[in-house]
Each structure stands twice: as structure tokens, then as C-alpha cells.
Amino acid sequence: MSGNIQLLDETLAAARSEGRSALIAYLPAGFPTVDGGIAAIKAVFDGGADVVEVGLPHSDPVLDGPVIQTADDIALKAGLKIADVMHTVREAHEATGKPVLVMTYWNPIDRYGVERFTAELAEAGGAGCILPDLPVQESALWREHAEKHGLATVFVVAPSSKDERLATITAAGSGFVYAASLMGVTGTRESVGEQAQELVRRTKATTDLPVCVGLGVSNARQAAEVAGFADGVIVGSAFVQRMLDAPDEAAGLAAVRALAGDLAKGVRGNA
């Protein structure tokens, strides 16, 4: 069975044809529970997200800040397995028909087996993977299997990436390019800053792939700011924080649905 890279491509193209950025939400699998995480993904899609990244919780998440680490710890202590991540992708995609990716560090895939992981993700209806710590020069095996199974390979670029390095990364990727707006870990920020705009400009000079910005966006005003220069706005910690702050699951679902609605207005310039 082929994965849904085409659905991802079509979704991002549709947003561009509407003259707006796509809203991409991140939520970790298994948080607050496996079923609760699936419900949260459905809620952010209901609120207006175009794409969702499902995080595969990891014990040593080098890119993730304290908010996502807290959620990951909850999922891992409850015994989350890769099978639960695949189940989350399947349920979320089948319920919504929207593109769902997995964001994961390389070690879990390496231990699980590249062929097994890509085949199962495609079979679950996944659109691809975001791989923040997989060096492009070591990615040939992954890309071979991802391409065979119709999955996007999304690499992360940072403000520190030199132009030559950007060209190497974007030439190897598919789906979109994840532009980290600043150096450091995930989390909400007061300002996304000019670094992100300059990184998008430099990245776009090397590729026709959509360039989507993450790390730091937490409200409609920031979403509107980033939407002014990026093809997609990626929001993670703000959604997770709403879930952590909620007194119960129903309140958490309402909170993330409302945040998605606000952000969806922001990417449309209606903040």
C-alpha cells in the first residue's frame, strides 16, 4: 500500500492556491492517553489544521523543549509503543481524510527497522516523516524505502545552515522543508523574529518545495506574521500546553480545537 505523500502535496498546494499558509499542528502520540491523543488530533483538524504531525515520544528528545518533554514522559510511562503511534496515524487519517505525518528521532526507526517502519506507516495512511536528527548524508536507506512506500521525507533546516548545506538538504527532501525559526528547542516565544524570514528566503532560493516554519509560534498574531513569508506555520508546544493546563480531557479537547481555530484565522490574515 502506498502512503499519502500526494495528499500532503495537494493539501499544501490547495492552501497556496487560496493565497494563505497551511496550518500544521503537532501533538505527541499517547498523550494524555492513546485514545485521548487521537481525539486531540481530530479536534485540531476540526478547528482548522490542514496537516498534523504525530510525535513519536522519545526518552532523549534533543529538539523538544520542556512542554513536549512533559507530554512525552506521560506517554512513555504509560507504555507507548510504535504500534500505538501507527494506530494513532491510522485513526486520525481515516476519521478526517487529512494528511498525517510522524515526527521522530532516528534511533526508534533504526531499532524498529526501516523497511518495517515505512511499510507500516504507509499502510496506516501516513503521509511521511519529519526526521530532525537524521543527517542527509546518512539518509539514503530511509529515502529509498520512503519513496518506495509513497512517504514524504521532511528534513529540518536551521538559521545556522549555510547556503550550500541548505541546497544539499532540500535536494534530498520531499513534501516540505521544516525551517526551525531559531536555534534551540521547541517552545513558545514572544516573537518569532527576523531570523525565520531570512531562513525561509535562503531556503526558497534552493528549492520549489514548500517551506514551513516551526519553533516559537503560539498565537494567531504570530501565525499571521509567519504566514506572511512561509508556506506553512507549524505549532506544537502551544497545543500541548493547552492539554497540560486543562482540568480534564473534554476541556483539553475544547482548548486545542479553539486554538486551532484562532491559528487558522491567523494563517488567513484574519488575526
Side-chain angles (χ1 to χ4, degrees):
M1 180 173 175
S2 181
N4 274 310
I5 185 173
Q6 185 174 347
L7 176 62
L8 175 64
D9 292 342
E10 290 169 353
T11 299
L12 295 172
R16 179 180 290 182
S17 72
E18 294 171 13
R20 66 174 179 89
S21 288
L23 174 59
I24 303 174
Y26 167 96
L27 285 164
F31 170 72
T33 62
V34 173
D35 288 343
I38 293 166
I41 294 168
K42 293 177 183 177
V44 299
F45 273 134
D46 287 345
D50 298 290
V51 179
V52 166
E53 304 171 5
V54 175
L56 195 164
H58 192 265
S59 56
D60 187 24
V62 293
L63 185 69
D64 298 318
V67 171
I68 291 174
Q69 285 185 29
T70 299
D72 281 1
D73 286 344
I74 291 169
L76 291 169
K77 285 175 180 173
L80 183 88
K81 301 288 190 289
I82 287 180
D84 298 314
V85 178
M86 298 298 179
H87 173 68
T88 298
V89 171
R90 182 190 311 280
E91 292 294 313
H93 172 65
E94 287 184 354
T96 63
K98 303 281 182 67
V100 181
L101 300 102
V102 169
M103 186 166 188
T104 180
Y105 297 100
W106 180 245
N107 182 255
I109 296 177
D110 194 34
R111 291 175 61 186
Y112 197 73
V114 176
E115 169 59 22
R116 181 184 177 195
F117 190 95
T118 51
E120 290 184 8
L121 181 57
E123 200 274 329
C129 254
I130 300 159
L131 301 159
D133 68 338
L134 177 62
V136 171
Q137 61 270 25
E138 298 174 21
S139 68
L141 178 65
W142 164 267
R143 286 187 286 127
E144 175 191 339
H145 288 289
E147 187 172 346
K148 180 172 79 172
H149 290 292
L151 298 169
T153 297
V154 179
F155 288 114
V156 178
V157 298
S160 59
S161 302
K162 304 297 185 189
D163 289 350
E164 184 179 354
R165 176 76 177 153
L166 287 176
T168 300
I169 293 171
T170 59
S174 56
F176 63 91
V177 182
Y178 187 126
S181 66
L182 40 81
M183 303 303 293
V185 299
T186 59
T188 61
R189 303 289 193 282
E190 286 301 309
S191 174
V192 179
E194 294 179 8
Q195 263 191 327
Q197 187 166 0
E198 176 63 10
L199 176 59
V200 170
R201 183 194 66 76
R202 291 171 52 225
T203 305
K204 280 181 169 290
T206 71
T207 183
D208 291 329
L209 288 173
V211 180
C212 305
V213 170
L215 274 66
V217 178
S218 61
N219 58 50
R221 176 184 57 78
Q222 291 173 331
E225 176 191 348
V226 174
F229 56 82
D231 299 300
V233 180
I234 303 169
V235 181
S237 295
F239 283 114
V240 177
Q241 189 67 61
R242 296 295 194 285
M243 299 284 288
L244 288 169
D245 290 344
D248 54 51
E249 187 174 311
L253 296 179
V256 295
R257 186 181 294 109
L259 177 59
D262 288 342
L263 293 165
K265 292 177 184 173
V267 299
R268 289 166 172 80
N270 298 322

